[in-house]
């Protein structure tokens, strides 16, 4: 990345060593890592869209955009709903990227909840406190997932 920035005349950046940039870099890295999984899920969902509905929309004179917006997108809503829940839970359980790239640094700028739990349990040997953090994380995930289910019920179309 620094090579491309130097071509634009921008000085080199210390992405993972700068407290103001490190968490953004880890977020971009995580999003990039989960993009392939999301694409596979959407590809599978797209293959489940009945050709008969797309043909009916074409016969009715719908444009490609209208067909996508009115036929394909509603039929992709279960996949979108699944990915919203799955990726939110994975974002709240972020650990590997932080542990391997910055170890919570610089200046604890990338210390996320699961990494903090790990440090409390296996570096400071505060197992009770770490267990309490794990239970709190569990309750947060359950609450966020319940809200997503409540909101997602309105926007998810399940055909019979």
């Amino acid at each position: 990345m620094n090579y491309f920035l130097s071509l634009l005349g921008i000085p080199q950046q210390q992405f993972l060593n700068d407290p103001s940039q490190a968490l953004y870099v880890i977020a971009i890295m995580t999003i990039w890592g989960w993009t392939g999984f999301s694409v596979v899920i959407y590809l599978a969902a797209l293959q489940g869209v009945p050709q008969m509905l797309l043909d009916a929309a074409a016969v009715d004179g719908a444009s490609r955009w209208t067909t996508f917006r009115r036929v394909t997108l509603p039929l992709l809503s279960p996949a979108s709903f699944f990915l919203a829940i799955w990726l939110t839970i994975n974002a709240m359980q972020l650990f590997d990227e932080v542990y391997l790239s910055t170890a919570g640094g610089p200046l604890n700028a990338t210390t996320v909840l699961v990494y903090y739990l790990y440090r409390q349990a296996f570096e400071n040997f505060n197992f009770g406190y770490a267990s309490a953090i794990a239970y709190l994380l569990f309750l947060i995930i359950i609450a966020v997932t319940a809200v997503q289910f409540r909101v997602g019920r309105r926007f998810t179309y399940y055909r019979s």
Side-chain angles (χ1 to χ4, degrees):
M1 187 62 153
N2 276 325
Y3 172 75
F4 293 117
L5 290 176
S6 68
L7 292 177
L8 299 172
I10 300 172
Q12 288 191 352
Q13 302 292 312
Q14 297 294 321
F15 292 110
L16 292 175
N17 291 330
D18 185 358
S20 65
Q21 295 178 356
L23 193 58
Y24 294 117
V25 171
I26 290 175
I28 291 168
M29 187 172 56
T30 303
I31 291 168
W32 179 254
W34 281 100
T35 299
F37 176 76
S38 302
V39 167
V40 170
I41 297 297
Y42 275 124
L43 181 61
L46 279 171
Q47 291 174 350
V49 174
Q51 187 63 39
M52 182 176 64
L53 294 177
L54 300 175
D55 293 341
V59 167
D60 288 343
S63 67
R64 293 179 72 155
W65 171 248
T66 303
T67 302
F68 176 75
R69 192 168 51 96
R70 299 285 184 173
V71 178
T72 307
L73 202 56
L75 293 174
L76 293 179
S77 62
S80 299
F81 180 58
F82 166 75
L83 284 172
I85 291 172
W86 183 265
L87 296 175
T88 301
I89 290 171
N90 280 325
M92 286 191 242
Q93 294 178 345
L94 181 69
F95 174 77
D96 298 347
E97 292 84 354
V98 172
Y99 179 74
L100 293 174
S101 61
T102 62
L107 301 174
N108 292 325
T110 60
T111 299
V112 293
L113 190 58
V114 177
Y115 185 74
Y116 181 68
L117 184 153
Y118 166 79
R119 289 183 61 189
Q120 288 301 315
F122 300 110
E123 290 179 10
N124 300 335
F125 301 108
N126 293 329
F127 295 109
Y129 183 53
S131 296
I133 295 170
Y135 278 112
L136 179 65
L137 178 63
F138 172 73
L139 293 175
I140 291 170
I141 289 173
I142 290 294
V144 169
T145 303
V147 169
Q148 285 179 315
F149 267 102
R150 182 172 291 261
V151 171
R153 237 185 275 152
R154 292 186 219 151
F155 302 106
T156 305
Y157 169 76
Y158 295 105
R159 61 177 180 210
S160 56

